[in-house]
Amino acid sequence: MENLMNSLSAKATIQNRSALAVDKPQVIRVAFFISDGTAITAETLGRSILSQFASVPFETRVIPYVDTIEMAQAAVEHINKAYQTTGILPLVFDTIVDPDIREIINSAQACNLDMYEGLIGRITDEIGVEPDAHSGHAHDDVDSETYKSRIDAVHFALDNDDGARTRHYDMADIILIGVSRSGKTPTSLYLALQFGIRAANYPLTEDDLFDNQLPKALQPHREKLFGLIIDTERLQKIRQERRAGSRYASFKQCEEEQRAIQAIYMTQNIPSLNVSEMSVEEIATRILQITGLKRRIG
Amino acid sequence: MENLMNSLSAKATIQNRSALAVDKPQVIRVAFFISDGTAITAETLGRSILSQFASVPFETRVIPYVDTIEMAQAAVEHINKAYQTTGILPLVFDTIVDPDIREIINSAQACNLDMYEGLIGRITDEIGVEPDAHSGHAHDDVDSETYKSRIDAVHFALDNDDGARTRHYDMADIILIGVSRSGKTPTSLYLALQFGIRAANYPLTEDDLFDNQLPKALQPHREKLFGLIIDTERLQKIRQERRAGSRYASFKQCEEEQRAIQAIYMTQNIPSLNVSEMSVEEIATRILQITGLKRRIG
């Protein structure tokens, strides 16, 4: 079964393995995300919608930069080939602005799911302004304050990662704290890339944790601190993958660190969040919600 | 004019200042992005659609985690207040799965733009499966290979940023090269966060550039190299913001480095991309397209 699926496609998205527990070979429907730009918008919304059908496996393919007649024709060939191979209509999620190119895509043998069509028409009716004919908004943040804020935030996150440097904390928007491997670094970078927020992060190590007070470097910036919490089981699993069998990865150690850090958050009155069940996107969004921190871009 | 707008909202998105060059004070329409999850999907598609109306200024507000009746009622109050303040119907972009919560949001005084509604219905008709009743897909990548790939890629990008370490290049999926401040670091991180790709990056400094050969650390990994190019004017502007008046930021220096690096790309047969007019998303997507590199997640 597994092999058959691999032979159909290495990229098949198996959303629920139990759905595959049937006797006859299953044909997997292909979903395309197509755009005249990066296709990130089409893919984001498309995947979100597909996730509403968790019992159905889909194979997904992204086709960005369909911005010429030739590219559109090539995309149609891909779609038709997917139909011929599987015998079931592919789903085509697209965000294409140019009507000529859109028409070509719509001619493919597929269930066409145009994401802009209905919405842009309704907005035009409401605001009384026709949409521009340009494609996408890929160039939006170039040469703008947005670009600068974002790049500056990324470099800030890098320079101030993992407690590497603490002397620029007065410039930080937020300082994430937590035990080793609680997700501070990816969260800092996501806050920078997505929201332009300057996030430093500082690991609380054993010395700090059992000292019953905040490390000196953090004390003057108490109002910027935000604590991450992670369930002991999950922390242990992550650390185990890193350093299997070590004391660092032992359940006892993980548990003690978690207890100690939560005591610090409580006694020092530091807002915190249990991130065990969250994706990086969700952690970042929740932090904005809890702290009221304003995004610098978007 | 500027002050009036600021008083209306600090977050007003001024997409085209010329649209504001009128005599009477202009009321800015509010656009909401609302979801039962992070609202990243609603915001991504919503902003992309709004960018099709570049002459119209919008004030945007994001309301994530509308997953209870109470949260929905609070959101409706926000929306209605925006209508009362501006006198024009707000646009409400939402991706809400629960029908009861959706009904409440739809009761607001607004132009409601439900992103899921039509598409999910059409998919149900096509595939013959009803959507699940769960909300969003925020937990998708937790405890999965996706989560691990992503975090590993982020740490790889960090550890191998800016030529800091070169001994793990055999594990890299790609090694970005370019002059200082050509966008290597944000691109590496974006490739990691968005696609789970292990991207190292290495700056070609003056010594490397005028040596007419690749640095030793890069030579065994030639097939993984990808070169970034940036226009001299833009490079100079970026460096100027960093170290104003320095030789590093002089037009002459920027121009010579650009010429030298493009000669290296050409003689060494390294694929490259001029990223001057591109956002980080676009650079990353183009690199995948040019190199054929496969994403590890998504």
Side-chain angles (χ1 to χ4, degrees), chain A residues 156 160 163 165-177 198-202 204 213-227 264-265 268-271 291 293:
Chain A
F156 186 88
N160 298 279
R165 209 163 69 174
T166 60
R167 66 181 185 278
H168 294 305
Y169 279 3
D170 52 324
M171 287 167 62
D173 294 321
I174 189 168
I175 303 165
L176 301 181
I177 58 177
R198 293 180 184 183
N201 76 80
Y202 190 99
L204 293 189
Q213 60 176 2
L214 282 175
K216 278 221 175 66
L218 299 181
Q219 286 177 13
H221 307 286
R222 186 178 304 234
E223 78 291 351
K224 292 182 182 177
L225 301 182
F226 189 94
I264 290 178
Y265 295 162
Q268 304 284 333
N269 210 11
I270 296 166
T291 61
L293 199 60

Tab-separated table of all heavy atoms in Angstrom, chain A residues 156 160 163 165-177 198-202 204 213-227 264-265 268-271 291 293:
chain	number	residue	atom	x	y	z
A	156	PHE	N	17.954	41.530	13.966
A	156	PHE	CA	17.877	41.690	15.415
A	156	PHE	C	17.666	40.334	16.091
A	156	PHE	O	18.335	40.004	17.069
A	156	PHE	CB	16.746	42.659	15.797
A	156	PHE	CG	16.723	42.962	17.268
A	156	PHE	CD1	17.483	44.003	17.780
A	156	PHE	CD2	15.975	42.188	18.144
A	156	PHE	CE1	17.494	44.272	19.143
A	156	PHE	CE2	15.980	42.442	19.509
A	156	PHE	CZ	16.739	43.490	20.008
A	160	ASN	N	20.395	38.535	18.573
A	160	ASN	CA	19.996	38.415	19.969
A	160	ASN	C	19.366	37.065	20.273
A	160	ASN	O	18.533	36.930	21.161
A	160	ASN	CB	19.047	39.558	20.329
A	160	ASN	CG	19.720	40.912	20.192
A	160	ASN	OD1	20.446	41.335	21.083
A	160	ASN	ND2	19.528	41.562	19.050
A	163	GLY	N	20.324	34.242	23.930
A	163	GLY	CA	21.095	34.965	24.940
A	163	GLY	C	22.483	35.372	24.496
A	163	GLY	O	23.330	35.747	25.316
A	165	ARG	N	23.624	37.856	23.032
A	165	ARG	CA	24.005	39.245	23.295
A	165	ARG	C	22.853	39.849	24.052
A	165	ARG	O	21.693	39.618	23.710
A	165	ARG	CB	24.168	39.956	21.945
A	165	ARG	CG	25.142	41.070	21.965
A	165	ARG	CD	25.565	41.435	20.567
A	165	ARG	NE	24.477	42.046	19.819
A	165	ARG	CZ	24.636	42.568	18.607
A	165	ARG	NH1	25.810	42.532	18.009
A	165	ARG	NH2	23.633	43.109	17.982
A	166	THR	N	23.133	40.591	25.081
A	166	THR	CA	22.019	41.116	25.881
A	166	THR	C	22.057	42.643	25.958
A	166	THR	O	21.141	43.244	26.499
A	166	THR	CB	22.070	40.552	27.323
A	166	THR	OG1	23.315	40.948	27.915
A	166	THR	CG2	21.974	39.035	27.324
A	167	ARG	N	23.098	43.261	25.368
A	167	ARG	CA	23.244	44.704	25.587
A	167	ARG	C	22.289	45.541	24.739
A	167	ARG	O	22.187	46.743	24.919
A	167	ARG	CB	24.702	45.132	25.361
A	167	ARG	CG	25.195	45.001	23.931
A	167	ARG	CD	26.658	45.429	23.835
A	167	ARG	NE	27.126	45.432	22.460
A	167	ARG	CZ	27.550	44.351	21.799
A	167	ARG	NH1	27.568	43.181	22.396
A	167	ARG	NH2	27.944	44.447	20.545
A	168	HIS	N	21.589	44.907	23.788
A	168	HIS	CA	20.648	45.676	22.974
A	168	HIS	C	19.187	45.397	23.343
A	168	HIS	O	18.294	45.652	22.557
A	168	HIS	CB	20.873	45.385	21.485
A	168	HIS	CG	22.190	45.876	20.994
A	168	HIS	ND1	22.582	47.190	21.153
A	168	HIS	CD2	23.209	45.249	20.364
A	168	HIS	CE1	23.806	47.332	20.640
A	168	HIS	NE2	24.209	46.177	20.173
A	169	TYR	N	18.982	44.875	24.543
A	169	TYR	CA	17.618	44.535	24.945
A	169	TYR	C	16.719	45.770	25.048
A	169	TYR	O	15.507	45.659	25.000
A	169	TYR	CB	17.624	43.778	26.276
A	169	TYR	CG	17.937	42.296	26.137
A	169	TYR	CD1	18.253	41.748	24.891
A	169	TYR	CD2	17.912	41.448	27.232
A	169	TYR	CE1	18.544	40.395	24.760
A	169	TYR	CE2	18.187	40.091	27.107
A	169	TYR	CZ	18.509	39.578	25.868
A	169	TYR	OH	18.788	38.239	25.739
A	170	ASP	N	17.344	46.940	25.204
A	170	ASP	CA	16.506	48.150	25.239
A	170	ASP	C	15.844	48.405	23.881
A	170	ASP	O	14.836	49.100	23.796
A	170	ASP	CB	17.326	49.371	25.671
A	170	ASP	CG	18.589	49.514	24.834
A	170	ASP	OD1	19.176	48.463	24.471
A	170	ASP	OD2	18.987	50.645	24.544
A	171	MET	N	16.395	47.819	22.827
A	171	MET	CA	15.785	47.981	21.499
A	171	MET	C	14.790	46.872	21.161
A	171	MET	O	14.131	46.916	20.124
A	171	MET	CB	16.867	48.010	20.420
A	171	MET	CG	17.678	49.302	20.407
A	171	MET	SD	19.152	49.069	19.382
A	171	MET	CE	18.400	48.720	17.786
A	172	ALA	N	14.711	45.872	22.022
A	172	ALA	CA	13.812	44.736	21.734
A	172	ALA	C	12.354	45.116	21.956
A	172	ALA	O	12.031	45.910	22.839
A	172	ALA	CB	14.175	43.555	22.638
A	173	ASP	N	11.468	44.563	21.123
A	173	ASP	CA	10.038	44.710	21.375
A	173	ASP	C	9.579	43.687	22.406
A	173	ASP	O	8.643	43.929	23.162
A	173	ASP	CB	9.239	44.478	20.076
A	173	ASP	CG	9.519	45.548	19.035
A	173	ASP	OD1	9.649	46.716	19.431
A	173	ASP	OD2	9.603	45.199	17.840
A	174	ILE	N	10.239	42.541	22.391
A	174	ILE	CA	9.863	41.457	23.296
A	174	ILE	C	11.088	40.570	23.506
A	174	ILE	O	11.958	40.486	22.630
A	174	ILE	CB	8.678	40.639	22.707
A	174	ILE	CG1	8.112	39.646	23.718
A	174	ILE	CG2	9.084	39.928	21.418
A	174	ILE	CD1	6.781	39.032	23.272
A	175	ILE	N	11.168	39.967	24.685
A	175	ILE	CA	12.251	39.011	24.963
A	175	ILE	C	11.609	37.694	25.389
A	175	ILE	O	10.969	37.618	26.440
A	175	ILE	CB	13.187	39.527	26.085
A	175	ILE	CG1	13.764	40.898	25.707
A	175	ILE	CG2	14.316	38.516	26.352
A	175	ILE	CD1	14.406	41.642	26.881
A	176	LEU	N	11.748	36.688	24.543
A	176	LEU	CA	11.170	35.381	24.863
A	176	LEU	C	12.115	34.630	25.780
A	176	LEU	O	13.321	34.600	25.547
A	176	LEU	CB	10.957	34.563	23.584
A	176	LEU	CG	10.039	35.165	22.525
A	176	LEU	CD1	9.924	34.220	21.329
A	176	LEU	CD2	8.670	35.475	23.089
A	177	ILE	N	11.554	34.022	26.821
A	177	ILE	CA	12.373	33.190	27.693
A	177	ILE	C	11.734	31.806	27.791
A	177	ILE	O	10.544	31.636	27.513
A	177	ILE	CB	12.575	33.816	29.092
A	177	ILE	CG1	11.237	34.070	29.779
A	177	ILE	CG2	13.359	35.113	28.997
A	177	ILE	CD1	11.380	34.627	31.198
A	198	ARG	N	10.830	43.008	16.750
A	198	ARG	CA	12.183	42.709	17.206
A	198	ARG	C	12.136	41.840	18.449
A	198	ARG	O	11.902	42.315	19.552
A	198	ARG	CB	12.920	43.996	17.527
A	198	ARG	CG	13.162	44.813	16.287
A	198	ARG	CD	13.887	46.079	16.578
A	198	ARG	NE	13.981	46.836	15.333
A	198	ARG	CZ	14.594	47.977	15.196
A	198	ARG	NH1	15.194	48.523	16.231
A	198	ARG	NH2	14.632	48.582	14.041
A	199	ALA	N	12.367	40.561	18.254
A	199	ALA	CA	12.267	39.603	19.348
A	199	ALA	C	13.633	39.038	19.682
A	199	ALA	O	14.269	38.417	18.839
A	199	ALA	CB	11.306	38.480	18.972
A	200	ALA	N	14.065	39.279	20.916
A	200	ALA	CA	15.261	38.609	21.418
A	200	ALA	C	14.811	37.334	22.118
A	200	ALA	O	13.628	37.180	22.413
A	200	ALA	CB	15.994	39.512	22.402
A	201	ASN	N	15.719	36.415	22.351
A	201	ASN	CA	15.341	35.285	23.192
A	201	ASN	C	16.496	34.855	24.068
A	201	ASN	O	17.667	34.997	23.707
A	201	ASN	CB	14.743	34.136	22.381
A	201	ASN	CG	15.780	33.340	21.630
A	201	ASN	OD1	16.452	32.486	22.202
A	201	ASN	ND2	15.909	33.631	20.342
A	202	TYR	N	16.147	34.362	25.250
A	202	TYR	CA	17.140	34.062	26.279
A	202	TYR	C	16.769	32.731	26.933
A	202	TYR	O	15.655	32.581	27.444
A	202	TYR	CB	17.132	35.193	27.313
A	202	TYR	CG	18.261	35.133	28.309
A	202	TYR	CD1	19.397	35.922	28.146
A	202	TYR	CD2	18.187	34.296	29.416
A	202	TYR	CE1	20.434	35.884	29.061
A	202	TYR	CE2	19.231	34.240	30.338
A	202	TYR	CZ	20.352	35.033	30.155
A	202	TYR	OH	21.386	34.989	31.055
A	204	LEU	N	16.670	30.014	29.794
A	204	LEU	CA	16.928	29.886	31.228
A	204	LEU	C	17.543	28.510	31.461
A	204	LEU	O	16.914	27.478	31.244
A	204	LEU	CB	15.643	30.058	32.022
A	204	LEU	CG	15.038	31.472	31.978
A	204	LEU	CD1	13.885	31.606	32.965
A	204	LEU	CD2	16.075	32.549	32.281
A	213	GLN	N	15.811	33.600	41.083
A	213	GLN	CA	15.627	34.986	40.657
A	213	GLN	C	15.968	35.113	39.168
A	213	GLN	O	16.594	34.226	38.596
A	213	GLN	CB	16.471	35.950	41.487
A	213	GLN	CG	17.951	35.671	41.405
A	213	GLN	CD	18.764	36.712	42.159
A	213	GLN	OE1	18.227	37.617	42.778
A	213	GLN	NE2	20.072	36.580	42.096
A	214	LEU	N	15.544	36.179	38.578
A	214	LEU	CA	15.814	36.371	37.163
A	214	LEU	C	17.296	36.627	36.935
A	214	LEU	O	17.941	37.297	37.743
A	214	LEU	CB	15.034	37.580	36.643
A	214	LEU	CG	13.552	37.382	36.351
A	214	LEU	CD1	12.931	38.724	35.966
A	214	LEU	CD2	13.355	36.379	35.219
A	215	PRO	N	17.842	36.128	35.827
A	215	PRO	CA	19.229	36.463	35.489
A	215	PRO	C	19.394	37.987	35.424
A	215	PRO	O	18.478	38.686	35.007
A	215	PRO	CB	19.419	35.834	34.101
A	215	PRO	CG	18.387	34.766	34.005
A	215	PRO	CD	17.247	35.210	34.849
A	216	LYS	N	20.574	38.457	35.792
A	216	LYS	CA	20.838	39.905	35.854
A	216	LYS	C	20.507	40.609	34.545
A	216	LYS	O	19.949	41.704	34.540
A	216	LYS	CB	22.321	40.140	36.185
A	216	LYS	CG	22.632	40.044	37.657
A	216	LYS	CD	23.627	41.161	38.067
A	216	LYS	CE	23.843	41.150	39.570
A	216	LYS	NZ	24.554	39.882	40.002
A	217	ALA	N	20.853	39.966	33.420
A	217	ALA	CA	20.655	40.603	32.113
A	217	ALA	C	19.174	40.872	31.839
A	217	ALA	O	18.834	41.773	31.070
A	217	ALA	CB	21.238	39.724	31.006
A	218	LEU	N	18.321	40.081	32.476
A	218	LEU	CA	16.884	40.228	32.197
A	218	LEU	C	16.194	41.203	33.146
A	218	LEU	O	15.139	41.758	32.827
A	218	LEU	CB	16.185	38.871	32.299
A	218	LEU	CG	16.651	37.769	31.339
A	218	LEU	CD1	15.831	36.498	31.561
A	218	LEU	CD2	16.517	38.223	29.879
A	219	GLN	N	16.782	41.403	34.306
A	219	GLN	CA	16.089	42.173	35.342
A	219	GLN	C	15.631	43.573	34.913
A	219	GLN	O	14.520	43.967	35.236
A	219	GLN	CB	16.951	42.220	36.612
A	219	GLN	CG	16.929	40.875	37.346
A	219	GLN	CD	17.829	40.860	38.563
A	219	GLN	OE1	18.292	41.906	39.014
A	219	GLN	NE2	18.090	39.672	39.081
A	220	PRO	N	16.463	44.323	34.161
A	220	PRO	CA	16.000	45.671	33.801
A	220	PRO	C	14.895	45.661	32.731
A	220	PRO	O	14.368	46.712	32.400
A	220	PRO	CB	17.254	46.355	33.233
A	220	PRO	CG	18.389	45.434	33.481
A	220	PRO	CD	17.822	44.073	33.663
A	221	HIS	N	14.600	44.492	32.163
A	221	HIS	CA	13.669	44.436	31.026
A	221	HIS	C	12.466	43.561	31.332
A	221	HIS	O	11.883	42.961	30.443
A	221	HIS	CB	14.401	43.901	29.795
A	221	HIS	CG	15.655	44.634	29.488
A	221	HIS	ND1	15.643	45.898	28.933
A	221	HIS	CD2	16.950	44.327	29.708
A	221	HIS	CE1	16.897	46.312	28.811
A	221	HIS	NE2	17.708	45.388	29.277
A	222	ARG	N	12.122	43.527	32.592
A	222	ARG	CA	11.054	42.638	33.035
A	222	ARG	C	9.755	42.804	32.243
A	222	ARG	O	9.062	41.845	31.937
A	222	ARG	CB	10.794	42.905	34.509
A	222	ARG	CG	9.811	41.978	35.145
A	222	ARG	CD	9.696	42.318	36.606
A	222	ARG	NE	11.014	42.264	37.233
A	222	ARG	CZ	11.287	41.532	38.312
A	222	ARG	NH1	10.318	40.814	38.854
A	222	ARG	NH2	12.487	41.521	38.834
A	223	GLU	N	9.457	44.038	31.882
A	223	GLU	CA	8.168	44.283	31.208
A	223	GLU	C	8.152	43.760	29.762
A	223	GLU	O	7.110	43.667	29.139
A	223	GLU	CB	7.800	45.776	31.260
A	223	GLU	CG	8.522	46.674	30.280
A	223	GLU	CD	10.023	46.851	30.591
A	223	GLU	OE1	10.508	46.424	31.676
A	223	GLU	OE2	10.708	47.427	29.726
A	224	LYS	N	9.333	43.392	29.251
A	224	LYS	CA	9.386	42.845	27.889
A	224	LYS	C	9.427	41.320	27.861
A	224	LYS	O	9.433	40.714	26.797
A	224	LYS	CB	10.644	43.344	27.165
A	224	LYS	CG	10.628	44.818	26.860
A	224	LYS	CD	11.891	45.218	26.111
A	224	LYS	CE	11.891	46.714	25.845
A	224	LYS	NZ	13.128	47.147	25.190
A	225	LEU	N	9.474	40.711	29.037
A	225	LEU	CA	9.658	39.253	29.067
A	225	LEU	C	8.359	38.522	28.758
A	225	LEU	O	7.277	38.941	29.161
A	225	LEU	CB	10.177	38.817	30.440
A	225	LEU	CG	11.503	39.425	30.886
A	225	LEU	CD1	11.903	38.863	32.256
A	225	LEU	CD2	12.602	39.159	29.866
A	226	PHE	N	8.506	37.432	28.028
A	226	PHE	CA	7.363	36.552	27.774
A	226	PHE	C	7.860	35.117	27.860
A	226	PHE	O	8.848	34.748	27.220
A	226	PHE	CB	6.755	36.823	26.395
A	226	PHE	CG	5.451	36.096	26.198
A	226	PHE	CD1	4.242	36.722	26.480
A	226	PHE	CD2	5.437	34.774	25.770
A	226	PHE	CE1	3.043	36.044	26.337
A	226	PHE	CE2	4.229	34.084	25.633
A	226	PHE	CZ	3.037	34.725	25.905
A	227	GLY	N	7.171	34.299	28.657
A	227	GLY	CA	7.660	32.951	28.929
A	227	GLY	C	6.967	31.869	28.115
A	227	GLY	O	5.756	31.871	27.985
A	264	ILE	N	9.026	30.551	38.370
A	264	ILE	CA	9.602	31.877	38.094
A	264	ILE	C	8.569	32.771	37.400
A	264	ILE	O	8.364	33.920	37.786
A	264	ILE	CB	10.876	31.742	37.218
A	264	ILE	CG1	12.001	31.114	38.047
A	264	ILE	CG2	11.308	33.106	36.677
A	264	ILE	CD1	13.296	30.900	37.273
A	265	TYR	N	7.896	32.222	36.383
A	265	TYR	CA	6.882	33.022	35.684
A	265	TYR	C	5.848	33.534	36.688
A	265	TYR	O	5.421	34.683	36.629
A	265	TYR	CB	6.157	32.197	34.609
A	265	TYR	CG	7.018	31.717	33.455
A	265	TYR	CD1	6.594	30.672	32.642
A	265	TYR	CD2	8.248	32.312	33.171
A	265	TYR	CE1	7.372	30.220	31.579
A	265	TYR	CE2	9.028	31.856	32.114
A	265	TYR	CZ	8.586	30.809	31.328
A	265	TYR	OH	9.356	30.360	30.284
A	268	GLN	N	7.443	36.024	39.404
A	268	GLN	CA	7.922	37.272	38.795
A	268	GLN	C	6.844	37.954	37.962
A	268	GLN	O	7.096	38.980	37.328
A	268	GLN	CB	9.140	36.990	37.900
A	268	GLN	CG	10.279	36.290	38.589
A	268	GLN	CD	11.062	37.221	39.494
A	268	GLN	OE1	11.103	38.425	39.275
A	268	GLN	NE2	11.647	36.671	40.552
A	269	ASN	N	5.676	37.320	37.940
A	269	ASN	CA	4.555	37.912	37.209
A	269	ASN	C	4.860	38.121	35.721
A	269	ASN	O	4.634	39.185	35.156
A	269	ASN	CB	4.189	39.251	37.869
A	269	ASN	CG	2.712	39.560	37.705
A	269	ASN	OD1	1.941	38.683	37.283
A	269	ASN	ND2	2.335	40.784	37.979
A	270	ILE	N	5.378	37.086	35.083
A	270	ILE	CA	5.723	37.134	33.656
A	270	ILE	C	4.633	36.413	32.863
A	270	ILE	O	4.318	35.262	33.152
A	270	ILE	CB	7.088	36.444	33.413
A	270	ILE	CG1	8.194	37.227	34.128
A	270	ILE	CG2	7.389	36.319	31.921
A	270	ILE	CD1	9.498	36.483	34.238
A	271	PRO	N	4.048	37.083	31.877
A	271	PRO	CA	3.019	36.397	31.084
A	271	PRO	C	3.630	35.203	30.367
A	271	PRO	O	4.798	35.246	29.976
A	271	PRO	CB	2.555	37.461	30.079
A	271	PRO	CG	3.682	38.435	29.997
A	271	PRO	CD	4.329	38.437	31.353
A	291	THR	N	-0.012	39.881	24.651
A	291	THR	CA	0.784	41.038	25.081
A	291	THR	C	0.232	42.358	24.544
A	291	THR	O	0.563	43.419	25.065
A	291	THR	CB	2.238	40.928	24.565
A	291	THR	OG1	2.208	40.898	23.130
A	291	THR	CG2	2.914	39.679	25.094
A	293	LEU	N	1.165	43.494	21.832
A	293	LEU	CA	2.269	44.021	21.024
A	293	LEU	C	1.779	44.327	19.613
A	293	LEU	O	1.084	43.526	19.012
A	293	LEU	CB	3.356	42.942	20.976
A	293	LEU	CG	4.778	43.324	20.589
A	293	LEU	CD1	5.335	44.353	21.551
A	293	LEU	CD2	5.659	42.071	20.612
